């Protein structure tokens, strides 16, 4: 009786157990409360993250199996004894700090909870050298293989179906299909990112499907691996399901984040949002560290430096507008010019005007000597046109013209950068100041060479270049001498450009230097090549006579301005023109040349602009290619004196650099 009762109880418990086994149906989001048997390095962290192996040791093995056996055959619940089905889904991640990683991991169905005798090397913790491939193993696995074993692996990033051994029955490069037409995306198993795997076996169809995808992607319709094979021969009555991994020589984390399994049915979908977090990768942790601690410091330092340099450089602020981009190469940076001239130091000043100073400088990079003219400018002036002209003038190339290199513009300030000429302006040599120690002036031969040079420069400006350039400020003060006393006409600050064929153009403002301004210019503001010729005539007289164009005399009649032109003209009338020349030129001179220069000076300063010669004619006379006849000079009889010609007192224009 008791034995029978005892037997019944045992049968009842066995029945319960049977039911329990058949009910293998679970879902774990995080494995902290999972019913697992772990061995080797496998452990579950507090947040539920299962690590089969970790980064502390090489040659690690780790197993995690559902603790209860699962009935794979003769299942009471299944309709046919031999056609058990199962379905599982899990999320894993493989994280290694090295470029390579450990062996990978596998979902396993095995006869025992551990896999005794398995090695921590290439067999993923499943087999050893002697039992790999042995049909007696009864081991089924889906491998996520990250090391290529030359004997039986295609590559180091594949998903494979293993039966009793690691030579996969089927394997493919890890990827997932994005559509039914074969579109796919590759996956890197060792990316450190979480990925989901679905394994489904239909016992009645004898069909096994394996699918993989990143966690954010829903299950692809097309499985990666599809195997038609009856697996019943592999399965024993009861089997254990779980995971296996090994590291071999590379310390690697093999993580499982969540797992669902069901025998004879569809495993539950994993809820990705409920899975445990992966630890921050080292680089990312480092990045976070940098962002949170180092970045603010960096930003602070950068900002401080920025403010420091802003304040430091504020004195270098320039005005640059879009249109100036066109003139790019002609533009100098203020900083360079500031450095070149020792901060526009007093010592570097080599010339001064009412609204301008000229500084000697050495450009920082090219070590080229330059003269920088700093002009206080009227911002209302059409700067754009002005600079366009400056830049055009920068293209002038003639041995008797000072080369303009470029400009720089600041608020209320314009800087023109010229070639530097060591001997300075002619003015200083023909009108030596009393204080100047060197009373030595230029002899006639030098003066005549200078006159011819300036003539040649003006012919180029008026006739030979692309455009007609009217200099508007020809005078001894704007003629500079190089080391060999060759003259160069400079200071194009007032120059105007015209197309050939449109010689006369009205200017809005009278410009030039008093004493050199032609009468018609003074009346109407009309600038032309002939007004340049007038100024050139004055220049001829000042060079020959060594006198300034206007001298203020105080005598019995009061204070009056004596014009050099009038003085020479009156001497011409009296036949004493030869007496007007500068006694400082010494004894070696050619009287005819002086006389020619004086006569040309008078012709060029004729009050009627129609009687003035052109610069080309002047050049022909000076070179002896044409002879100035007495008849040519008869026009001088019709010449008014300057005092008569200027109907109103000559306006003294202070601002030599008013451009208009
Ligand atoms: C290999 O594993 C089997 C069983 O899993 C074990 O019996 C055998 O001793 C192991 N062989 C070696 C060489 O470790
Ligand atoms: C995916 O990887 C395979 C193997 O490395 C390569 O042949 C294929 O071009 C890759 N495809 C894409 C879309 O990157």
């Amino acid at each position: 009786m008791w034995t029978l009762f005892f037997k019944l109880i045992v049968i009842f418990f066995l029945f319960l157990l049977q039911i329990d086994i058949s009910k293998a149906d679970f879902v774990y989001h995080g494995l902290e409360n999972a019913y697992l048997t772990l061995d080797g390095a496998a452990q579950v962290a507090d947040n539920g993250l299962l690590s089969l192996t970790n980064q502390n040791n090489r040659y690690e093995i780790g197993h995690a199996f559902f603790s209860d056996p699962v009935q794979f055959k003769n299942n009471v619940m299944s309709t046919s004894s031999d056609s058990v089905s199962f379905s599982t889904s899990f999320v894993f991640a493989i994280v290694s700090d090295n470029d390579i990683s450990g062996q990978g991991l596998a979902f396993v169905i095995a006869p025992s909870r551990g896999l005794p005798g398995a090695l921590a090397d290439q067999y993923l913790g499943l087999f050893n050298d002697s039992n790999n491939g042995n049909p007696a193993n009864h081991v089924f696995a889906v491998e996520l293989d990250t090391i290529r074993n030359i004997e039986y692996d295609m590559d180091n990033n594949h998903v494979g179906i293993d039966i009793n051994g690691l030579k996969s029955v089927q394997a493919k490069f890890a990827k997932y299909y994005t559509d039914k037409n074969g579109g796919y995306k590759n996956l890197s198993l060792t990316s450190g990112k979480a990925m989901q795997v679905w394994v489904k076996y239909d016992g009645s169809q004898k069909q096994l499907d394996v699918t993989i995808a990143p966690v954010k992607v829903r299950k692809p319709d097309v499985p990666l691996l599809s195997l038609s094979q009856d697996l019943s021969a592999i399965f024993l009555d009861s089997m254990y399901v779980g995971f296996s991994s090994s590291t071999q020589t590379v310390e690697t984390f093999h993580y499982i984040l969540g797992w669902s399994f069901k025998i004879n049915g569809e495993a539950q979908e994993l809820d990705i949002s409920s899975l445990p977090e992966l630890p921050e990768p080292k680089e990312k942790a480092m990045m976070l560290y940098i962002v949170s601690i180092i970045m603010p410091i960096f930003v602070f330092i950068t900002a401080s430096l920025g403010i420091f340099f802003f304040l430091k450089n504020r004195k270098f602020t320039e005005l640059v507008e879009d249109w100036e981009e066109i003139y790019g190469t002609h533009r100098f940076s203020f900083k360079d010019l500031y450095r070149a001239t020792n901060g526009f130091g007093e010592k570097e000043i080599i010339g001064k005007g009412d609204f301008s100073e000229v500084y000697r400088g050495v450009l920082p990079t090219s070590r080229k000597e330059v003269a920088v003219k700093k002009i206080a400018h009227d911002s209302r002036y059409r700067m754009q046109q002005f600079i366009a002209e400056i830049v055009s003038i920068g293209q002038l190339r003639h041995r008797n013209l000072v080369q303009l290199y470029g400009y720089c513009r600041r608020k209320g300030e314009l800087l023109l950068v010229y070639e530097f000429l060591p001997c300075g302006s002619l003015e200083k040599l023909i009108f030596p100041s009393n204080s100047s120690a060197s009373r030595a002036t230029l002899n006639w031969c030098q003066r005549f060479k200078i006159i011819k040079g300036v003539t040649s420069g003006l012919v180029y400006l008026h006739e030979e270049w692309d455009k007609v350039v009217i200099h508007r400020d020809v005078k001894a003060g704007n003629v500079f001498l190089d080391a060999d006393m060759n003259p160069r006409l400079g200071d194009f600050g007032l120059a105007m450009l015209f197309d050939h064929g449109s010689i006369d153009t009205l200017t809005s403002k009278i410009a030039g230097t008093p004493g050199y301004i032609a009468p018609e210019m003074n009346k109407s503001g009309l600038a032309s090549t002939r007004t340049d010729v007038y100024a050139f005539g004055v220049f001829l007289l000042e060079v020959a006579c060594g006198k300034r164009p206007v001298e203020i005399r105080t005598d019995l009649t009061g204070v009056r301005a004596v014009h050099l032109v009038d003085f020479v003209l009156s001497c011409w009338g009296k036949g004493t023109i030869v007496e007007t020349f500068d006694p400082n030129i010494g004894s070696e001179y050619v009287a005819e040349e002086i006389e020619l220069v004086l006569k040309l000076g008078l012709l060029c300063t004729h009050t009627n602009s129609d009687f003035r010669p052109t610069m080309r004619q002047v050049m022909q006379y000076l070179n002896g290619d044409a002879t100035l006849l007495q008849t040519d000079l008869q026009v001088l009889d019709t010449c008014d004196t300057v005092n008569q010609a200027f109907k109103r007192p000559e306006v003294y224009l202070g601002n030599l650099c008013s451009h208009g």
Side-chain angles (χ1 to χ4, degrees), residues 361-516:
V362 178
L363 291 178
T365 40
S366 61
R367 312 305 305 163
K368 194 151 57 171
E369 263 192 311
V370 290
V372 181
K373 185 170 187 180
K374 194 163 156 228
I375 309 158
H377 78 74
D378 180 353
S379 60
R380 283 165 303 172
Y381 179 69
R382 287 160 303 146
M383 190 50 66
Q384 176 166 2
Q385 190 204 334
F386 179 55
I387 293 192
E389 288 182 6
I390 289 177
V391 170
S392 307
I393 285 161
Q395 293 163 5
L396 296 174
R397 294 283 182 279
H398 190 273
R399 67 181 182 283
N400 294 118
L401 298 179
V402 176
Q403 176 78 45
L404 175 70
Y405 292 139
Y407 73 99
C408 173
R409 195 161 66 91
R410 305 183 79 207
K411 197 161 183 285
E413 223 170 47
L414 179 69
L415 296 119
L416 299 176
V417 184
Y418 292 101
E419 152 185 37
F420 176 78
L421 290 161
C423 288
S425 96
L426 174 62
E427 193 179 30
K428 285 192 192 135
L429 291 166
I430 53 172
F431 314 124
S433 63
N434 294 331
S435 59
S436 162
S438 64
R439 288 284 300 168
T441 64
L442 298 171
N443 64 32
W444 178 251
C445 182
Q446 289 168 320
R447 292 188 196 204
F448 197 56
K449 185 168 101 175
I450 289 165
I451 287 168
K452 280 180 167 175
V454 173
T455 308
S456 165
L458 277 167
V459 170
Y460 174 79
L461 291 182
H462 288 179
E463 294 181 23
E464 291 174 353
W465 194 55
D466 291 355
K467 294 201 170 204
V468 180
V469 181
I470 301 178
H471 186 280
R472 296 209 300 171
D473 206 9
V474 178
K475 58 179 180 179
N478 282 339
V479 172
F480 302 89
L481 300 170
D482 70 11
D484 299 323
M485 293 290 168
N486 292 308
R488 289 178 186 242
L489 180 60
D491 199 341
F492 292 83
L494 296 182
M496 293 179 77
L497 307 179
F498 302 108
D499 288 330
H500 283 285
S502 62
I503 303 301
D504 292 350
T505 304
L506 277 175
T507 65
S508 58
K509 249 187 187 175
I510 300 156
T513 305
Y516 302 86

Side-chain angles (χ1 to χ4, degrees), residues 112 114-119 126-132 134 137:
S112 61
L115 291 152
L119 294 179
L126 297 172
F127 308 109
N128 62 29
D129 293 329
S130 47
N131 69 358
N132 182 27
N134 185 345
N137 288 336

Side-chain angles (χ1 to χ4, degrees), residues 9-76:
I9 286 179
V10 169
I11 288 168
F12 176 71
F13 271 101
L14 279 175
F15 181 71
L16 279 184
L17 196 64
Q18 186 102 348
I19 290 202
D20 194 26
I21 289 169
S22 67
K23 266 191 3 193
D25 175 10
F26 54 82
V27 54
Y28 295 127
H29 297 102
L31 296 112
E32 67 272 34
N33 297 319
Y35 186 42
L36 297 180
T37 301
L38 307 178
D39 69 39
Q43 59 183 51
V44 178
D46 289 343
N47 72 345
L49 193 62
L50 163 64
S51 54
L52 294 166
T53 63
N54 58 48
Q55 284 193 335
N56 301 333
N57 290 303
R58 303 157 75 182
Y59 290 103
E60 269 185 342
I61 204 166
H63 293 136
F65 278 90
F66 186 63
S67 295
D68 276 339
V70 179
Q71 194 71 15
F72 267 78
K73 265 187 182 167
N74 304 319
N75 190 308
V76 286

Side-chain angles (χ1 to χ4, degrees), residues 72-93:
F72 267 78
K73 265 187 182 167
N74 304 319
N75 190 308
V76 286
M77 303 297 277
S78 82
T79 46
S80 147
S81 64
D82 276 341
S83 59
V84 73
S85 299
F86 71 91
S87 151
T88 187
S89 158
F90 62 93
V91 173
F92 75 96

Side-chain angles (χ1 to χ4, degrees), residues 340-367:
T341 56
N342 280 328
F344 295 99
E346 284 291 318
K347 276 190 193 161
E348 309 296 333
I349 294 184
I350 51 174
K352 246 181 171 161
D354 287 343
F355 289 87
S356 65
E357 286 106 36
V358 184
Y359 297 83
R360 193 197 75 93
V362 178
L363 291 178
T365 40
S366 61
R367 312 305 305 163

